[in-house]
Amino acid sequence: MMTESVKINIKNLGLSFGKTEVLRGVNLNIEPGELFSFLGPSGSGKSTLLRAIAGFGPRPQGNIIIGEEDIVQKPPWERNVGMVFQSYALWPHMSVRKNVSFGLEERHVPKNEINERVEEVLEMVDLLQLADRRPSQLSGGQQQRVALARTIVVKPRVLLLDEPLSNLDANLRIEMRREILELQRKLRLTTIFVTHDQEEANTISDRIAVLNHGIIQQVGSPLELYDKPTNRFVANFLGTVNLIA
Ligand SMILES: Nc1ncnc2c1ncn2[C@@H]1O[C@H](COP(=O)(O)OP(=O)(O)OP(=O)(O)O)[C@@H](O)[C@H]1O
Ligand SMILES: [Mg+2]
């Protein structure tokens, strides 16, 4: 399952919907194997930035380099990036196994290799027992794991997660958080995790970029952001008590 971890460099990225500028001067260096979060309030541009990396939405200005390659001109299917959407977007008429194997069939992977890889991934996310069920016969957390399995089985170079836990209740969120982190560490897969929940970002991330109005306010480890917020917005958003005037 292991692939080589890659870095992501984003250089001076800007993006507009029509005349509305949504991302401005975004510069980011994400390390190979890092779990990196985009944190910010609703409308701050987190999903837009994530989707731009995956190749969805309007063509941005600037560069997105994955590994050594600038992929900003490439269509989504040539980027080798795996994205899990908030809605999971599973195929309702297909079994869990089929949902997971589908992407490999599309890529014409040989049948016995498909079977092997699907088993391995289902085992990893603890879904082997439920492989023949349909999504409607699963809990929210189980569906979330199918979405994750389906994304990692094709061995993407980068994993993008857009608020993957927001449909789950509080206890399950905490459990799934831990499971995502474990899986990410095991695969050493460079991962970007989008959330508007600062506690979630703090518990899961190596580093966080705080966004507001499409501008990165600060990048740092959870501790750095808490200890040394660069501005009032970051301090407020992370709930820092000591606001330095
Ligand atoms: N297709 C679109 N057309 C026009 N404007 C858009 C479009 N998609 C998003 N926007 C605008 O871009 C800005 C950023 O949206 P985005 O979805 O990236 O925010 P977000 O940080 O992911 O918010 P949330 O936490 O609510 O998901 C918002 O002001 C939004 O209204
Ligand atoms: Mg969003």
Side-chain angles (χ1 to χ4, degrees), residues 91 93-103 105 118 122 131 133 150:
W91 290 290
H93 58 289
M94 291 183 193
S95 67
V96 168
R97 190 185 298 282
K98 188 77 183 171
N99 263 281
V100 176
S101 65
F102 190 76
E105 285 160 18
V118 170
L122 286 177
R133 291 211 194 159
R150 186 179 64 173

Side-chain angles (χ1 to χ4, degrees), residues 13-27:
L13 200 81
L15 188 149
S16 302
F17 289 105
K19 288 198 181 114
T20 317
E21 250 192 319
V22 172
L23 296 174
R24 270 171 272 199
V26 172
N27 287 292

Side-chain angles (χ1 to χ4, degrees), residues 2-239:
M2 289 268 295
T3 44
E4 205 184 324
S5 309
V6 293
K7 64 183 168 69
I8 305 172
N9 302 122
I10 297 177
K11 291 187 184 158
N12 210 12
L13 200 81
L15 188 149
S16 302
F17 289 105
K19 288 198 181 114
T20 317
E21 250 192 319
V22 172
L23 296 174
R24 270 171 272 199
V26 172
N27 287 292
L28 269 183
N29 294 310
I30 300 176
E31 301 298 327
E34 191 169 29
L35 202 164
F36 194 96
S37 292
F38 296 162
L39 173 68
S42 185
S44 57
K46 308 180 295 295
S47 295
T48 304
L49 181 52
L50 200 70
R51 293 168 59 85
I53 297 169
F56 304 119
R59 167 83 47 91
Q61 318 234 272
N63 308 94
I64 303 173
I65 296 150
I66 297 183
E68 300 299 330
E69 184 188 16
D70 190 344
I71 48 110
V72 83
Q73 306 283 345
K74 288 196 159 186
W77 56 89
E78 286 178 13
R79 295 186 180 200
N80 201 357
V81 154
M83 181 149 171
V84 175
F85 296 88
Q86 182 176 344
S87 57
Y88 311 148
L90 300 175
W91 290 290
H93 58 289
M94 291 183 193
S95 67
V96 168
R97 190 185 298 282
K98 188 77 183 171
N99 263 281
V100 176
S101 65
F102 190 76
L104 296 174
E105 285 160 18
E106 292 261 277
R107 287 167 174 77
H108 306 292
V109 173
K111 241 203 164 80
N112 50 352
E113 189 185 335
I114 293 184
N115 290 339
E116 240 169 65
R117 278 165 68 174
V118 170
E119 291 282 306
E120 187 186 0
V121 169
L122 286 177
E123 166 105 68
M124 216 178 265
V125 298
D126 199 20
L127 280 175
L128 262 185
Q129 319 308 330
L130 305 179
D132 297 318
R133 291 211 194 159
R134 295 220 216 110
S136 62
Q137 299 168 308
L138 300 175
S139 72
Q142 290 161 346
Q143 290 181 40
Q144 207 277 334
R145 298 211 295 266
V146 179
L148 203 57
R150 186 179 64 173
T151 304
I152 61 176
V153 79
V154 298
K155 300 185 182 169
R157 292 187 299 174
V158 167
L159 180 62
L160 307 177
L161 305 167
D162 194 356
E163 309 228 18
L165 307 180
S166 57
N167 294 338
L168 308 178
D169 68 42
N171 288 333
L172 198 52
R173 277 180 87 122
I174 291 170
E175 192 185 317
M176 287 302 304
R177 231 185 246 171
R178 198 170 38 229
E179 286 182 18
I180 287 177
L181 188 57
E182 251 172 49
L183 194 67
Q184 191 268 341
R185 292 294 191 241
K186 198 189 290 177
L187 299 173
R188 285 199 227 122
L189 191 53
T190 309
T191 299
I192 304 176
F193 185 97
V194 166
T195 180
H196 60 263
D197 179 336
Q198 52 96 5
E199 194 215 327
E200 191 163 277
N202 283 339
T203 48
I204 206 170
S205 315
D206 295 314
R207 289 188 305 151
I208 300 169
V210 182
L211 272 94
N212 194 28
H213 300 309
I215 296 173
I216 293 185
Q217 306 292 311
Q218 189 170 358
V219 175
S221 69
L223 201 62
E224 283 163 357
L225 295 180
Y226 188 81
D227 269 356
K228 296 191 174 71
T230 52
N231 62 33
R232 187 166 290 271
F233 175 82
V234 174
N236 278 331
F237 202 73
L238 289 165

